[in-house]
Structures are given as structure tokens and as C-alpha cells.
Amino acid sequence: AEAIRRELQREMPGASYVTITPLTEILGSQMSSWKLGATMFVAFGLLALVLAAVGLYSVIGYNVAQRTHEMGVHVALGAQGRDLVRLVVGEGVTLGVIGIAIGVVIALGAGKWIKPLLFEQSPRDPAIFAIVTVALLVVAVVASWLPARRAARVDPILAMRTE
């Protein structure tokens, strides 16, 4: 800042002293509400991601618990643990893909209302949609993998007795 002040002083010989104020200091009060809004968007987005993960985990976990007998029959007929994991994770990913497809359609439709809040960014940016899709698919895989591990360890004798 001192070097800039000296250069400006040299360019403006009539001024007795040139003061320099950083732009962040000048615009700080005006930007604070925008920063708060952006922080809230991120916080609510992360909360939605956690809720999606917990909800998917709960649905898949409940489904696995209800199908214990079926999983036991699969194991009794020779299915390996990885087959059961593939089955359960496949169902979880299918649910995730359906949810992502519905969400993309809603996001594309709601883009016109979000556009005024975005600075030089399109509400239909394909990179953002790709990143969010990949993140949600990872959440779907992890959320369904945990119950799938439990399904893979089903003892067929105990599973047959529960019915």
C-alpha cells in the first residue's frame, strides 16, 4: 500500500497527501449481507446433503431388515457376500438416481428464480450439475453400502428362524 501511495503522490503533485483505503474496507459493510447469504446457502446445502444421506441410509437399512429372510435364502442357495452387497447397493443407487433425476428437473425449472442471486454464473451451469450429481451418487453409494455390509453377514439359519 505504501508503494502505491508514493506512486500516486508522484502522479498528483498538487495533493499534499494521498490516502489509500483497500476496496474490501470500503465495500465491507455492503458485502457482509451477501457473505451471510452465501454462507447460509452453503450451510443449508450441506444440511440437505446430510438429510439425504440419512434418509437413504434409513430406507435401505429398513429394507434390508425387512428382507432378512430373503437374504438368508440367497445365502443358503449359494450367493456370496459380494452378491448381496451388489444387490443392496444397486437398489440404493437406483433410488439415488431417481432422486437426482427429479432434483435436476426441479433445479432446471427453478433456475429463473435463483438467477438474480447468482453473480456472473448461469443457473444451468453443467459443471455444477455434474459436481452435485457425482456428490449425490457418492452419498447414495456410501449410504447403501453400510446396510449392504450387514446384509452380507446374514446367517442363513438365523434368517430362516426369524420367519
Side-chain angles (χ1 to χ4, degrees):
E2 185 59 30
I4 293 172
R5 189 195 67 72
R6 273 187 267 127
E7 285 295 319
L8 286 174
Q9 188 74 39
R10 211 176 339 188
E11 295 293 324
M12 303 168 63
S16 61
Y17 188 77
V18 176
T19 56
I20 296 176
T21 307
L23 186 61
T24 56
E25 199 174 298
I26 295 170
L27 297 177
S29 62
Q30 297 171 1
M31 295 300 291
S32 63
S33 64
W34 287 97
K35 286 181 181 178
L36 176 65
T39 303
M40 295 305 290
F41 269 127
V42 169
F44 286 132
L46 290 175
L47 180 63
L49 186 64
V50 168
L51 284 174
V54 169
L56 187 60
Y57 170 78
S58 299
V59 167
I60 297 295
Y62 180 75
N63 192 18
V64 167
Q66 293 297 314
R67 295 171 57 190
T68 303
H69 181 71
E70 176 190 339
M71 300 294 174
V73 170
H74 278 281
V75 171
L77 292 175
Q80 300 294 319
R82 66 178 181 273
D83 298 326
L84 294 178
V85 168
R86 191 178 315 122
L87 174 73
V88 174
V89 170
E91 290 174 358
V93 169
T94 301
L95 285 174
V97 167
I98 291 169
I100 290 168
I102 292 170
V104 165
V105 169
I106 291 171
L108 288 173
K112 62 183 173 186
W113 292 297
I114 301 295
K115 186 173 177 124
L117 300 173
L118 303 174
F119 180 73
E120 293 184 7
Q121 187 70 34
S122 169
R124 294 186 168 110
D125 186 14
I128 298 298
F129 276 93
I131 291 169
V132 170
T133 299
V134 168
L136 289 173
L137 282 175
V138 167
V139 166
V141 168
V142 171
S144 58
W145 181 70
L146 296 172
R149 281 189 348 185
R150 189 173 57 232
R153 289 189 237 128
V154 168
D155 183 13
I157 296 173
L158 291 177
M160 298 298 203
R161 273 192 205 146
T162 59
E163 290 293 316

